[in-house]
Amino acid sequence: MEFHVEDHPDPRDIDVLEAQIRREASAAMGLGGEVDLAIFVREAGKVVAGISGWTWGDCCELQSLWVEPSLRGRGLATRLLAAAEAEAAARGCSQTVHFTYAFQARALYERNGYQLVGCVEDFPSGTDVLWYRKRLNPPKSRPVGNGTGPRSPAKTPPP
């Protein structure tokens, strides 16, 4: 058996690891599988902003939020967060979490009702990694727990 350090691993190999972890976690918890969640803003077919993550059981993790620099300061990130939260709630999620860095979007999350629940200082050196959580109110008409079900297009609130 050999160990191989790879700076540029094949994405399919990473998918094997993630799929196995998801399979074992789903079996252990009995919550069904993860369901990807992504919302994009496109101009002329090009992605200019978006948010992505996943839902599992009654939880949502938002992993990536990005807005083209020329479009920042217009409330687009706030609207993307709201759309992702609405979709997560529609899937039965009662909370969402997001990791970010102190130099990035701390004010954005705090302005939008996220509470800081964890911090690792100097990760990497010169900044801190932050873990935020926001409690959601899932609709009463759908059972909480499986994170799947009928999907509707995400709706963004007016600016």
Side-chain angles (χ1 to χ4, degrees):
M1 191 176 314
E2 295 180 32
F3 284 50
H4 299 269
V5 176
E6 300 180 22
D7 290 340
H8 302 287
D10 185 323
R12 293 173 295 189
D13 292 340
I14 300 297
D15 288 345
V16 168
L17 299 177
E18 291 177 0
Q20 293 303 319
I21 290 168
R22 288 176 175 159
R23 182 184 59 76
E24 290 177 20
S26 294
M29 295 298 296
L31 296 175
E34 287 180 14
V35 178
D36 289 335
L37 187 161
I39 302 167
F40 299 103
V41 178
R42 299 176 196 271
E43 287 186 353
K46 178 184 173 197
V47 173
V48 295
I51 190 167
S52 66
W54 49 264
T55 59
W56 181 44
D58 62 350
C59 297
C60 173
E61 182 177 339
L62 299 173
Q63 296 174 311
S64 299
L65 170 61
W66 175 78
V67 175
E68 173 74 37
S70 66
L71 299 175
R72 293 178 186 164
R74 301 179 187 184
L76 197 50
T78 294
R79 291 169 41 209
L80 282 165
L81 269 176
E85 292 164 8
E87 177 62 20
R91 294 181 184 191
C93 295
S94 62
Q95 63 181 330
T96 183
V97 297
H98 189 91
F99 289 92
T100 192
Y101 293 95
F103 71 88
Q104 286 181 317
R106 182 176 202 154
L108 170 71
Y109 292 102
E110 292 174 2
R111 234 185 2 256
N112 284 284
Y114 284 76
Q115 295 180 319
L116 183 64
V117 295
C119 174
V120 177
E121 296 173 346
D122 289 323
F123 188 86
S125 294
T127 193
D128 303 333
V129 66
L130 309 171
W131 190 18
Y132 283 96
R133 174 177 62 193
K134 183 174 183 178
R135 300 278 186 189
L136 305 175
N137 297 312
K140 303 289 186 222
S141 60
R142 283 200 17 211
V144 173
N146 66 5
T148 61
R151 300 204 33 201
S152 60
K155 295 185 172 87
T156 57

